[in-house]
Amino acid sequence: MYYHTLSPERLFLVGLALSEDGFQWQKVGQILGPGEPGTFDERGIGTRHVLKIDGQYLMFYEGVNQSGYHSIGLAISSDGIDWEKQPGSEAGGSIFSHAPKGSGRWDAQAIGTPCVVPMADGSFRIYYIGTNEGGYDELSSQHQIGLAVSDGSNFRKWYRWGE
């Protein structure tokens, strides 16, 4: 079970717990932490979606930067325990970023809570929650569900549906 938690430094981390029966769990501990200063995930990692494709584990995760903007990143693992972040071409090194600041778009503050679905043709869809700018906190902002499609089988490059 992958989970996120808040460190004493108020940074979000991803942890892992293992169970053979689904009732008793053994914590492995932190497996993925915040990025370097200036990256899209410098304040940490929240909601994630893990799936296995072609013998490797992929973790699509929500990262948050110092300004409170959320984007989606990618980490890869051969065993589901040891992870390596993959640099993306979007803002701050993400693979899929929020819409431009000040654009008025419905997902200009945050995109996150990724759910990646492999398609029969080898492409992928990613469903996500987007948040607009303008709310004074997370609860007053407008949240909507978005869809992006991969560039063919390339799960590192995404296009918003309809653009």
Side-chain angles (χ1 to χ4, degrees):
M1 172 176 59
Y2 300 98
Y3 61 91
H4 63 275
T5 186
L6 192 60
S7 75
E9 298 81 28
R10 304 206 42 84
L11 300 172
F12 290 100
L13 315 169
V14 176
L16 173 65
L18 302 173
S19 173
E20 292 189 19
D21 62 9
F23 293 104
Q24 297 181 29
W25 293 87
Q26 180 69 35
K27 281 187 176 182
V28 172
Q30 177 184 335
I31 58 167
L32 205 56
E36 297 296 321
T39 61
F40 78 98
D41 59 354
E42 65 189 321
R43 280 185 37 206
I45 299 171
T47 308
R48 78 236 58 78
H49 183 202
V50 176
L51 61 159
K52 193 171 185 181
I53 298 174
D54 295 331
Q56 61 185 357
Y57 294 91
L58 306 177
M59 180 187 297
F60 296 88
Y61 65 88
E62 177 180 348
V64 60
N65 70 14
Q66 201 60 23
S67 300
Y69 285 78
H70 298 237
S71 297
I72 295 174
L74 173 66
I76 295 181
S77 172
S78 61
D79 61 7
I81 298 172
D82 296 310
W83 293 87
E84 185 175 328
K85 291 182 181 180
Q86 304 295 300
S89 61
E90 298 274 328
S94 65
I95 63 164
F96 188 50
S97 184
H98 56 83
K101 295 177 185 178
S103 67
R105 295 276 314 258
W106 67 273
D107 59 355
Q109 176 72 41
I111 63 167
T113 317
C115 180
V116 178
V117 180
M119 304 306 293
D121 66 358
S123 67
F124 299 89
R125 292 184 181 167
I126 188 167
Y127 295 89
Y128 64 94
I129 293 178
T131 306
N132 67 326
E133 294 173 299
Y136 56 89
D137 64 11
E138 188 173 326
L139 296 176
S140 66
S141 298
Q142 181 182 6
H143 296 73
Q144 296 183 53
I145 297 172
L147 169 63
V149 295
S150 65
D151 184 8
S153 62
N154 182 0
F155 49 76
R156 291 173 168 85
K157 181 75 174 164
W158 298 90
Y159 301 98
R160 283 173 173 76
W161 180 254
E163 288 188 5

mmCIF file with all atom_site columns, all heavy atoms in Angstrom, residues 85-102:
data_model
loop_
_atom_site.group_PDB
_atom_site.id
_atom_site.type_symbol
_atom_site.label_atom_id
_atom_site.label_alt_id
_atom_site.label_comp_id
_atom_site.label_asym_id
_atom_site.label_entity_id
_atom_site.label_seq_id
_atom_site.pdbx_PDB_ins_code
_atom_site.Cartn_x
_atom_site.Cartn_y
_atom_site.Cartn_z
_atom_site.occupancy
_atom_site.B_iso_or_equiv
_atom_site.pdbx_formal_charge
_atom_site.auth_seq_id
_atom_site.auth_comp_id
_atom_site.auth_asym_id
_atom_site.auth_atom_id
_atom_site.pdbx_PDB_model_num
ATOM 1   N N   . LYS A 1 85  ? 12.766 9.225  -9.803  1.00 0.00 ? 85  LYS A N   1
ATOM 2   C CA  . LYS A 1 85  ? 11.960 10.250 -10.470 1.00 0.00 ? 85  LYS A CA  1
ATOM 3   C C   . LYS A 1 85  ? 12.447 10.445 -11.901 1.00 0.00 ? 85  LYS A C   1
ATOM 4   O O   . LYS A 1 85  ? 13.649 10.402 -12.159 1.00 0.00 ? 85  LYS A O   1
ATOM 5   C CB  . LYS A 1 85  ? 12.028 11.573 -9.714  1.00 0.00 ? 85  LYS A CB  1
ATOM 6   C CG  . LYS A 1 85  ? 11.341 11.540 -8.374  1.00 0.00 ? 85  LYS A CG  1
ATOM 7   C CD  . LYS A 1 85  ? 11.420 12.895 -7.708  1.00 0.00 ? 85  LYS A CD  1
ATOM 8   C CE  . LYS A 1 85  ? 10.759 12.865 -6.356  1.00 0.00 ? 85  LYS A CE  1
ATOM 9   N NZ  . LYS A 1 85  ? 10.829 14.185 -5.702  1.00 0.00 ? 85  LYS A NZ  1
ATOM 10  N N   . GLN A 1 86  ? 11.506 10.690 -12.800 1.00 0.00 ? 86  GLN A N   1
ATOM 11  C CA  . GLN A 1 86  ? 11.807 10.902 -14.208 1.00 0.00 ? 86  GLN A CA  1
ATOM 12  C C   . GLN A 1 86  ? 11.586 12.370 -14.546 1.00 0.00 ? 86  GLN A C   1
ATOM 13  O O   . GLN A 1 86  ? 10.478 12.881 -14.362 1.00 0.00 ? 86  GLN A O   1
ATOM 14  C CB  . GLN A 1 86  ? 10.894 10.040 -15.086 1.00 0.00 ? 86  GLN A CB  1
ATOM 15  C CG  . GLN A 1 86  ? 10.957 8.560  -14.758 1.00 0.00 ? 86  GLN A CG  1
ATOM 16  C CD  . GLN A 1 86  ? 12.325 7.988  -15.055 1.00 0.00 ? 86  GLN A CD  1
ATOM 17  O OE1 . GLN A 1 86  ? 12.782 8.024  -16.190 1.00 0.00 ? 86  GLN A OE1 1
ATOM 18  N NE2 . GLN A 1 86  ? 12.982 7.455  -14.040 1.00 0.00 ? 86  GLN A NE2 1
ATOM 19  N N   . PRO A 1 87  ? 12.603 13.056 -15.034 1.00 0.00 ? 87  PRO A N   1
ATOM 20  C CA  . PRO A 1 87  ? 12.409 14.475 -15.372 1.00 0.00 ? 87  PRO A CA  1
ATOM 21  C C   . PRO A 1 87  ? 11.447 14.630 -16.543 1.00 0.00 ? 87  PRO A C   1
ATOM 22  O O   . PRO A 1 87  ? 11.505 13.885 -17.518 1.00 0.00 ? 87  PRO A O   1
ATOM 23  C CB  . PRO A 1 87  ? 13.822 14.951 -15.728 1.00 0.00 ? 87  PRO A CB  1
ATOM 24  C CG  . PRO A 1 87  ? 14.572 13.710 -16.087 1.00 0.00 ? 87  PRO A CG  1
ATOM 25  C CD  . PRO A 1 87  ? 13.948 12.582 -15.319 1.00 0.00 ? 87  PRO A CD  1
ATOM 26  N N   . GLY A 1 88  ? 10.555 15.584 -16.406 1.00 0.00 ? 88  GLY A N   1
ATOM 27  C CA  . GLY A 1 88  ? 9.596  15.878 -17.463 1.00 0.00 ? 88  GLY A CA  1
ATOM 28  C C   . GLY A 1 88  ? 9.920  17.186 -18.151 1.00 0.00 ? 88  GLY A C   1
ATOM 29  O O   . GLY A 1 88  ? 10.745 17.974 -17.669 1.00 0.00 ? 88  GLY A O   1
ATOM 30  N N   . SER A 1 89  ? 9.257  17.436 -19.256 1.00 0.00 ? 89  SER A N   1
ATOM 31  C CA  . SER A 1 89  ? 9.525  18.641 -20.048 1.00 0.00 ? 89  SER A CA  1
ATOM 32  C C   . SER A 1 89  ? 8.603  19.807 -19.701 1.00 0.00 ? 89  SER A C   1
ATOM 33  O O   . SER A 1 89  ? 8.734  20.880 -20.272 1.00 0.00 ? 89  SER A O   1
ATOM 34  C CB  . SER A 1 89  ? 9.399  18.312 -21.542 1.00 0.00 ? 89  SER A CB  1
ATOM 35  O OG  . SER A 1 89  ? 8.076  17.871 -21.829 1.00 0.00 ? 89  SER A OG  1
ATOM 36  N N   . GLU A 1 90  ? 7.674  19.595 -18.774 1.00 0.00 ? 90  GLU A N   1
ATOM 37  C CA  . GLU A 1 90  ? 6.749  20.649 -18.370 1.00 0.00 ? 90  GLU A CA  1
ATOM 38  C C   . GLU A 1 90  ? 7.356  21.486 -17.233 1.00 0.00 ? 90  GLU A C   1
ATOM 39  O O   . GLU A 1 90  ? 8.445  21.189 -16.748 1.00 0.00 ? 90  GLU A O   1
ATOM 40  C CB  . GLU A 1 90  ? 5.422  20.033 -17.928 1.00 0.00 ? 90  GLU A CB  1
ATOM 41  C CG  . GLU A 1 90  ? 4.713  19.267 -19.024 1.00 0.00 ? 90  GLU A CG  1
ATOM 42  C CD  . GLU A 1 90  ? 3.834  20.132 -19.904 1.00 0.00 ? 90  GLU A CD  1
ATOM 43  O OE1 . GLU A 1 90  ? 3.270  21.115 -19.409 1.00 0.00 ? 90  GLU A OE1 1
ATOM 44  O OE2 . GLU A 1 90  ? 3.712  19.807 -21.089 1.00 0.00 ? 90  GLU A OE2 1
ATOM 45  N N   . ALA A 1 91  ? 6.610  22.477 -16.778 1.00 0.00 ? 91  ALA A N   1
ATOM 46  C CA  . ALA A 1 91  ? 7.079  23.411 -15.737 1.00 0.00 ? 91  ALA A CA  1
ATOM 47  C C   . ALA A 1 91  ? 7.638  22.689 -14.525 1.00 0.00 ? 91  ALA A C   1
ATOM 48  O O   . ALA A 1 91  ? 7.009  21.759 -14.001 1.00 0.00 ? 91  ALA A O   1
ATOM 49  C CB  . ALA A 1 91  ? 5.933  24.329 -15.309 1.00 0.00 ? 91  ALA A CB  1
ATOM 50  N N   . GLY A 1 92  ? 8.838  23.085 -14.090 1.00 0.00 ? 92  GLY A N   1
ATOM 51  C CA  . GLY A 1 92  ? 9.458  22.542 -12.894 1.00 0.00 ? 92  GLY A CA  1
ATOM 52  C C   . GLY A 1 92  ? 9.880  21.094 -12.998 1.00 0.00 ? 92  GLY A C   1
ATOM 53  O O   . GLY A 1 92  ? 10.188 20.466 -11.992 1.00 0.00 ? 92  GLY A O   1
ATOM 54  N N   . GLY A 1 93  ? 9.859  20.529 -14.202 1.00 0.00 ? 93  GLY A N   1
ATOM 55  C CA  . GLY A 1 93  ? 10.245 19.134 -14.389 1.00 0.00 ? 93  GLY A CA  1
ATOM 56  C C   . GLY A 1 93  ? 9.101  18.147 -14.305 1.00 0.00 ? 93  GLY A C   1
ATOM 57  O O   . GLY A 1 93  ? 9.316  16.941 -14.252 1.00 0.00 ? 93  GLY A O   1
ATOM 58  N N   . SER A 1 94  ? 7.868  18.643 -14.324 1.00 0.00 ? 94  SER A N   1
ATOM 59  C CA  . SER A 1 94  ? 6.706  17.747 -14.293 1.00 0.00 ? 94  SER A CA  1
ATOM 60  C C   . SER A 1 94  ? 6.476  17.148 -15.683 1.00 0.00 ? 94  SER A C   1
ATOM 61  O O   . SER A 1 94  ? 7.023  17.619 -16.674 1.00 0.00 ? 94  SER A O   1
ATOM 62  C CB  . SER A 1 94  ? 5.456  18.505 -13.837 1.00 0.00 ? 94  SER A CB  1
ATOM 63  O OG  . SER A 1 94  ? 5.098  19.503 -14.773 1.00 0.00 ? 94  SER A OG  1
ATOM 64  N N   . ILE A 1 95  ? 5.627  16.115 -15.736 1.00 0.00 ? 95  ILE A N   1
ATOM 65  C CA  . ILE A 1 95  ? 5.250  15.553 -17.047 1.00 0.00 ? 95  ILE A CA  1
ATOM 66  C C   . ILE A 1 95  ? 3.919  16.113 -17.530 1.00 0.00 ? 95  ILE A C   1
ATOM 67  O O   . ILE A 1 95  ? 3.599  16.012 -18.704 1.00 0.00 ? 95  ILE A O   1
ATOM 68  C CB  . ILE A 1 95  ? 5.199  14.011 -17.030 1.00 0.00 ? 95  ILE A CB  1
ATOM 69  C CG1 . ILE A 1 95  ? 4.139  13.491 -16.072 1.00 0.00 ? 95  ILE A CG1 1
ATOM 70  C CG2 . ILE A 1 95  ? 6.573  13.430 -16.731 1.00 0.00 ? 95  ILE A CG2 1
ATOM 71  C CD1 . ILE A 1 95  ? 3.769  12.048 -16.288 1.00 0.00 ? 95  ILE A CD1 1
ATOM 72  N N   . PHE A 1 96  ? 3.140  16.697 -16.606 1.00 0.00 ? 96  PHE A N   1
ATOM 73  C CA  . PHE A 1 96  ? 1.862  17.318 -16.964 1.00 0.00 ? 96  PHE A CA  1
ATOM 74  C C   . PHE A 1 96  ? 1.609  18.429 -15.954 1.00 0.00 ? 96  PHE A C   1
ATOM 75  O O   . PHE A 1 96  ? 1.501  18.173 -14.757 1.00 0.00 ? 96  PHE A O   1
ATOM 76  C CB  . PHE A 1 96  ? 0.745  16.290 -16.962 1.00 0.00 ? 96  PHE A CB  1
ATOM 77  C CG  . PHE A 1 96  ? -0.566 16.789 -17.506 1.00 0.00 ? 96  PHE A CG  1
ATOM 78  C CD1 . PHE A 1 96  ? -0.644 17.436 -18.729 1.00 0.00 ? 96  PHE A CD1 1
ATOM 79  C CD2 . PHE A 1 96  ? -1.722 16.594 -16.791 1.00 0.00 ? 96  PHE A CD2 1
ATOM 80  C CE1 . PHE A 1 96  ? -1.857 17.893 -19.221 1.00 0.00 ? 96  PHE A CE1 1
ATOM 81  C CE2 . PHE A 1 96  ? -2.946 17.040 -17.278 1.00 0.00 ? 96  PHE A CE2 1
ATOM 82  C CZ  . PHE A 1 96  ? -3.010 17.692 -18.497 1.00 0.00 ? 96  PHE A CZ  1
ATOM 83  N N   . SER A 1 97  ? 1.534  19.657 -16.440 1.00 0.00 ? 97  SER A N   1
ATOM 84  C CA  . SER A 1 97  ? 1.495  20.821 -15.559 1.00 0.00 ? 97  SER A CA  1
ATOM 85  C C   . SER A 1 97  ? 0.132  21.503 -15.577 1.00 0.00 ? 97  SER A C   1
ATOM 86  O O   . SER A 1 97  ? -0.627 21.383 -16.542 1.00 0.00 ? 97  SER A O   1
ATOM 87  C CB  . SER A 1 97  ? 2.565  21.820 -16.003 1.00 0.00 ? 97  SER A CB  1
ATOM 88  O OG  . SER A 1 97  ? 2.623  22.916 -15.122 1.00 0.00 ? 97  SER A OG  1
ATOM 89  N N   . HIS A 1 98  ? -0.117 22.252 -14.508 1.00 0.00 ? 98  HIS A N   1
ATOM 90  C CA  . HIS A 1 98  ? -1.312 23.099 -14.433 1.00 0.00 ? 98  HIS A CA  1
ATOM 91  C C   . HIS A 1 98  ? -1.277 24.084 -15.606 1.00 0.00 ? 98  HIS A C   1
ATOM 92  O O   . HIS A 1 98  ? -0.220 24.359 -16.183 1.00 0.00 ? 98  HIS A O   1
ATOM 93  C CB  . HIS A 1 98  ? -1.362 23.843 -13.097 1.00 0.00 ? 98  HIS A CB  1
ATOM 94  C CG  . HIS A 1 98  ? -0.134 24.667 -12.831 1.00 0.00 ? 98  HIS A CG  1
ATOM 95  N ND1 . HIS A 1 98  ? 0.038  25.929 -13.346 1.00 0.00 ? 98  HIS A ND1 1
ATOM 96  C CD2 . HIS A 1 98  ? 0.992  24.375 -12.151 1.00 0.00 ? 98  HIS A CD2 1
ATOM 97  C CE1 . HIS A 1 98  ? 1.214  26.396 -12.979 1.00 0.00 ? 98  HIS A CE1 1
ATOM 98  N NE2 . HIS A 1 98  ? 1.814  25.464 -12.245 1.00 0.00 ? 98  HIS A NE2 1
ATOM 99  N N   . ALA A 1 99  ? -2.432 24.625 -15.962 1.00 0.00 ? 99  ALA A N   1
ATOM 100 C CA  . ALA A 1 99  ? -2.508 25.640 -17.020 1.00 0.00 ? 99  ALA A CA  1
ATOM 101 C C   . ALA A 1 99  ? -1.714 26.872 -16.585 1.00 0.00 ? 99  ALA A C   1
ATOM 102 O O   . ALA A 1 99  ? -1.438 27.054 -15.390 1.00 0.00 ? 99  ALA A O   1
ATOM 103 C CB  . ALA A 1 99  ? -3.967 26.000 -17.294 1.00 0.00 ? 99  ALA A CB  1
ATOM 104 N N   . PRO A 1 100 ? -1.326 27.733 -17.507 1.00 0.00 ? 100 PRO A N   1
ATOM 105 C CA  . PRO A 1 100 ? -0.512 28.904 -17.146 1.00 0.00 ? 100 PRO A CA  1
ATOM 106 C C   . PRO A 1 100 ? -1.166 29.777 -16.071 1.00 0.00 ? 100 PRO A C   1
ATOM 107 O O   . PRO A 1 100 ? -2.378 29.991 -16.073 1.00 0.00 ? 100 PRO A O   1
ATOM 108 C CB  . PRO A 1 100 ? -0.397 29.669 -18.464 1.00 0.00 ? 100 PRO A CB  1
ATOM 109 C CG  . PRO A 1 100 ? -0.577 28.634 -19.519 1.00 0.00 ? 100 PRO A CG  1
ATOM 110 C CD  . PRO A 1 100 ? -1.567 27.653 -18.955 1.00 0.00 ? 100 PRO A CD  1
ATOM 111 N N   . LYS A 1 101 ? -0.324 30.265 -15.160 1.00 0.00 ? 101 LYS A N   1
ATOM 112 C CA  . LYS A 1 101 ? -0.797 31.165 -14.113 1.00 0.00 ? 101 LYS A CA  1
ATOM 113 C C   . LYS A 1 101 ? -1.441 32.387 -14.755 1.00 0.00 ? 101 LYS A C   1
ATOM 114 O O   . LYS A 1 101 ? -0.960 32.902 -15.761 1.00 0.00 ? 101 LYS A O   1
ATOM 115 C CB  . LYS A 1 101 ? 0.363  31.622 -13.237 1.00 0.00 ? 101 LYS A CB  1
ATOM 116 C CG  . LYS A 1 101 ? 1.003  30.517 -12.453 1.00 0.00 ? 101 LYS A CG  1
ATOM 117 C CD  . LYS A 1 101 ? 2.188  31.043 -11.661 1.00 0.00 ? 101 LYS A CD  1
ATOM 118 C CE  . LYS A 1 101 ? 2.915  29.915 -10.972 1.00 0.00 ? 101 LYS A CE  1
ATOM 119 N NZ  . LYS A 1 101 ? 4.086  30.398 -10.234 1.00 0.00 ? 101 LYS A NZ  1
ATOM 120 N N   . GLY A 1 102 ? -2.555 32.823 -14.191 1.00 0.00 ? 102 GLY A N   1
ATOM 121 C CA  . GLY A 1 102 ? -3.237 34.005 -14.690 1.00 0.00 ? 102 GLY A CA  1
ATOM 122 C C   . GLY A 1 102 ? -4.034 33.788 -15.957 1.00 0.00 ? 102 GLY A C   1
ATOM 123 O O   . GLY A 1 102 ? -4.592 34.724 -16.514 1.00 0.00 ? 102 GLY A O   1
#
